[in-house]
Amino acid sequence: MTALPEGLTQGTWTLDASHTTVAFTVRHAGISKTRGQFTDVSGRMIIGEKLEDSRVNAEIQIASLTTGNEDRDNHLKSADFFDAEQFTAMAFTSTAFDGTTLKGDLSIKDVTKEVELDVDYEGAATDPFGSYRAGFSATTKISRKEFGLTWNAALEAGGVLVGDTVTITIDVEFTAPAAA
């Protein structure tokens, strides 16, 4: 049994979207990296009596994808990649947590795969407005092809335009349940 970290209390915590970033990085043309993020995220964290009983659920709206380039964003939202018209959101539901590794099911398009995220608890504090918050950071790598994101283009010099491995980086804040 793993005790709850200092500052975490049992109950349902709400994801604070305005203080959460879900970002991704993927190789471009084999020579650089392209970065982007999703800005519309919702979710909750249910803290159990012991850490192993805790769970996280999150939903990410595909339409909120931004890379800083409108043409690229539109291509990523098209049927070539996320198909945002048919699949409006991706979802994550945790299945196990040991304090450093969060396992769960990630659903993108019509594919669900188990992923493991390396998690760091960043601490908890009361903000100037009286809300008690906890912060976490997490990272994982996925194969975009395993989720049906297979579009690519061959390069004249060899290789492909878009790498398969996607690094996902999450910085998230949750607000504590209201005191009873």
Side-chain angles (χ1 to χ4, degrees):
M1 176 166 115
T2 306
L4 295 178
E6 174 117 13
L8 290 184
T9 57
Q10 286 182 276
T12 301
W13 294 60
T14 303
L15 185 145
D16 178 355
S18 66
H19 293 101
T20 295
T21 303
V22 176
F24 62 89
T25 306
V26 65
R27 297 281 296 169
H28 179 259
I31 59 169
S32 65
K33 296 178 183 176
T34 295
R35 301 176 192 285
Q37 68 179 22
F38 295 90
T39 59
D40 187 353
V41 182
S42 60
R44 63 188 181 138
M45 172 177 68
I46 301 169
I47 302 294
E49 183 176 329
K50 53 188 179 186
L51 199 54
E52 293 85 354
D53 297 331
S54 301
R55 297 288 179 257
V56 175
N57 298 302
E59 186 171 277
I60 300 162
Q61 299 303 311
I62 301 300
S64 73
L65 181 149
T66 180
T67 64
N69 179 293
E70 186 176 356
D71 289 339
R72 180 174 45 228
D73 295 351
N74 290 335
H75 189 206
L76 289 170
K77 294 173 193 176
S78 78
D80 282 346
F81 287 95
F82 286 103
D83 196 358
E85 283 189 30
Q86 183 175 353
F87 303 100
T88 59
M90 69 176 96
F92 176 81
T93 302
S94 69
T95 57
F97 185 52
D98 66 7
T100 58
T101 303
L102 180 67
K103 293 181 182 181
D105 295 325
L106 176 62
S107 297
I108 301 175
K109 294 175 76 169
D110 56 354
V111 178
T112 300
K113 297 272 185 191
E114 182 178 75
V115 297
E116 291 186 9
L117 293 105
D118 296 323
V119 176
D120 288 317
Y121 173 56
E122 304 293 349
T126 301
D127 69 21
F129 308 102
S131 293
Y132 192 67
R133 304 171 168 279
F136 299 85
S137 58
T139 59
T140 192
K141 291 183 180 187
I142 63 168
S143 162
R144 67 184 182 88
K145 292 176 187 173
E146 289 183 1
F147 288 93
L149 305 173
T150 58
W151 183 92
N152 224 328
L155 298 174
E156 187 176 307
V160 292
L161 186 63
V162 183
D164 179 47
T165 301
V166 179
T167 301
I168 300 169
T169 306
I170 303 165
D171 293 295
V172 60
E173 279 188 24
F174 289 95
T175 55

